[in-house]
Amino acid sequence: MKNLSPTKYFGSILIALFLSVAFASAQTPPAAVPKGEVQHYVFDRSRIFPGTTQDYWVYVPRQYDPARPACVYVGQDGVQFNAPAVFDRLIASGEMPITIGVFVMHGRVRALAPGALDRFNRSYEYDGLGANYARFILDEILPEVEKKTTADGRPIHLSHSGNDRCIGGSSSGAIAAFTAAWERPDAFSRVFSAIGTYVGLRGGNNYPTLIRKCEPKPIRVFLQDGSSDLNIYGGDWWMANQEMERALTFAGYQVNHVWGTSGHNGRQATEVFPGAMRWLWKDWPAPVTAGAGSPQLQEILIPGQAWKPVGGTYAGASDPAADAAGEIFFNADNKTYKIGADGAVSAAAPGARVASGQAFGPDGRRYVCAGSEIMAYDATGHARAIARGIRGRDLVAAHNGDIYVTAPGLTADSSRIWLILPRGKKRFLDTGIKFARGITLSPDQSLLYVADARSHWVYSFQVQPDGTLAYGQQYYHLHVPDTADDSGAAGLCVDREGRLYAATRMGVQVSDQAGRVNCIIPVPSGEVTGLAFGGVNSDTLFATCGGRVYSRRVRVTGAHAFAAPNKPAPPRL
């Protein structure tokens, strides 16, 4: 075996030997092992992959009882690894729960003429990142399975708990399985990956980085690969699978693996599959738990503290801002709401004009972008326009009273940054950002950060003594989901140690002062539209996400621009 120390080499051999013996014993069971049934079906009504036809097979073990929903195994590329026979034996021996197998072939768009070629959707469906394949399985295939009956007429009932579901495959089918669990850990908590295609075909090479940075998910993963696997234009499969294992281990995932010397085939995967199933289902029904994550995540997150919904469901919740008391104001339903210290939500400013971005100033007033005016609201709700002719989107009010406003336009030339001085004089500062959105100041207020929602950049400007800006750079490099062309960066905020928090399509991306994303914190409803630190101690992060507002207590303390500046420690370079 190449590139392995003697200890790792012999360790891998022993693991492979153990699992091979286990497989051999599972291949020679007592004759009384009940044999399940396998039925074949065709699905051709997909809305997620329109025009495709998929063959799929459903395995039902003899022990299945319709009175109790069965666990589920989903396999790509049809029936692999001698799975039905393996399941028969492991279910009979009590080494895995009663599980219904659903084995799905990738789709084809059938050609319209005999001389034309079908469109083969395998790479598109399997190698692509994002939630489409998970949606296809969860919203289309599994509901179809539950419409079927067994050969003797029993209805098929599947568990809808992710803890009761496993998904697996080989090559591109393996990355499809991992992606389904990564995108929907609530639906799949166990993954079998053989000779996985975690390389540069459709973005799979990004997984090791994302695994290290993202808050860990409750997924248990078994990996298999061999040193003679593919090494072609897309990447090196053998090295990529080892990188996946190291990333999962670093982030604290429950991960196991068997390395060998085989090539891009299913021989070793078939040998280790029974042992992999035993390990993936071990301790069931105890739930799979998530690891602690990277040291950077552990500096921010508190164990046991998760996102909690605040209030109800709103129409387009966005633009959260904290006042000096830690109360949070946000916009939704064409209104402005307030989250009090007790967590109760109430209307903050009845009759106020519809606003977009908002921020509190050192004078306690709430400044908002409203149409082509910048308005200031005092504690009584009385409003006054402090600047006109600025169609602003977001703003931040500095401790010295200066107000910076982003005004995105249809083009980069019309997307602007404005300065409003304490006496109301406005000053145009900068243009050229494609779509200037979220804006905030560094904790020491020496730098101004501006998010470009239509790229993967957050700009950094040095604030000059007169409030103008200099030395603008595309400084913070954000991650972009495979399903979008930009990060969608919206609201920004900072903590007292200098980290920048960006609301993006992938969740909350947290960067160090050197401009590097250190960690990503997903939010339950997906794309994040706004962020603010609130609470009495400014140690609660509030995020607007779709129609919901979420809160989460953290270890760090937010830095508010209206407060006195503080100088953080230098970044770790």
Side-chain angles (χ1 to χ4, degrees), residues 125 127-135 176 179-180 182-183 207 481-483:
E125 293 174 11
D127 293 323
L129 308 191
N132 277 350
Y133 191 72
R135 290 175 50 226
T179 298
W182 179 259
E183 295 288 340
Y207 268 135
D482 191 63
T483 52

Side-chain angles (χ1 to χ4, degrees), residues 293-551:
S294 68
Q296 288 76 16
L297 272 167
Q298 294 178 49
E299 290 175 355
I300 298 169
L301 301 182
I302 300 173
Q305 290 287 334
W307 292 106
K308 299 178 181 178
V310 181
T313 301
Y314 307 92
S318 63
D319 307 303
D323 64 11
E327 297 177 317
I328 293 290
F329 291 68
F330 68 94
N331 298 322
D333 306 327
N334 292 327
K335 302 175 185 177
T336 299
Y337 291 91
K338 180 177 75 172
I339 304 172
D342 59 356
V345 180
S346 61
R353 292 176 57 183
V354 176
S356 55
Q358 58 188 337
F360 282 84
D363 55 5
R365 292 193 293 177
R366 182 169 61 93
Y367 296 90
V368 305
C369 301
S372 59
E373 296 180 325
I374 306 301
M375 307 290 294
Y377 288 84
D378 63 20
T380 68
H382 178 265
R384 183 173 72 87
I386 63 166
R388 292 183 170 88
I390 300 175
R391 189 164 290 278
R393 180 58 187 85
D394 291 282
L395 76 168
V396 62
H399 180 63
N400 65 2
D402 289 352
I403 298 172
Y404 295 90
V405 185
T406 57
L410 297 177
T411 65
D413 291 339
S414 61
S415 188
R416 304 192 169 199
I417 303 172
W418 290 88
L419 168 65
I420 303 172
L421 297 170
R423 294 184 179 274
K425 182 180 179 180
K426 66 180 182 182
R427 186 170 182 178
F428 167 70
L429 296 182
D430 189 80
T431 189
I433 298 176
K434 288 182 183 178
F435 200 82
R437 268 293 315 266
I439 186 169
T440 195
L441 287 156
S442 60
D444 59 13
Q445 305 202 10
S446 68
L447 301 169
L448 182 77
Y449 304 136
V450 180
D452 181 359
R454 292 183 179 169
S455 76
H456 61 273
W457 295 110
V458 174
Y459 285 70
S460 175
F461 298 87
Q462 187 182 67
V463 178
Q464 302 302 294
D466 62 353
T468 58
L469 305 177
Y471 314 123
Q473 291 180 325
Q474 295 173 323
Y475 191 75
Y476 290 90
H477 184 283
L478 300 178
H479 290 279
V480 176
D482 191 63
T483 52
D485 295 325
D486 55 57
S487 70
L492 301 177
C493 60
V494 293
D495 65 26
R496 290 181 62 84
E497 296 176 22
R499 300 178 189 88
L500 177 73
Y501 298 70
T504 74
R505 302 186 194 279
M506 296 184 72
V508 181
Q509 299 194 42
V510 186
S511 299
D512 61 16
Q513 295 173 66
R516 306 165 297 199
V517 174
N518 284 184
C519 46
I520 302 171
I521 309 170
V523 178
S525 298
E527 180 177 351
V528 186
T529 56
L531 289 173
F533 279 100
V536 175
N537 299 313
S538 296
D539 61 353
T540 300
L541 190 60
F542 289 82
T544 53
C545 190
R548 302 302 301 266
V549 181
Y550 294 92
S551 69

Side-chain angles (χ1 to χ4, degrees), residues 46-70:
S46 178
R47 297 181 302 277
I48 297 167
F49 300 124
T52 56
T53 298
Q54 283 94 357
D55 291 278
Y56 69 98
W57 293 260
V58 178
Y59 159 85
V60 180
R62 184 74 61 82
Q63 299 91 335
Y64 166 67
D65 180 357
R68 182 175 182 179

Side-chain angles (χ1 to χ4, degrees), residues 185-196:
D186 61 310
F188 298 103
S189 63
R190 306 163 199 273
V191 178
F192 176 70
S193 168
I195 56 174

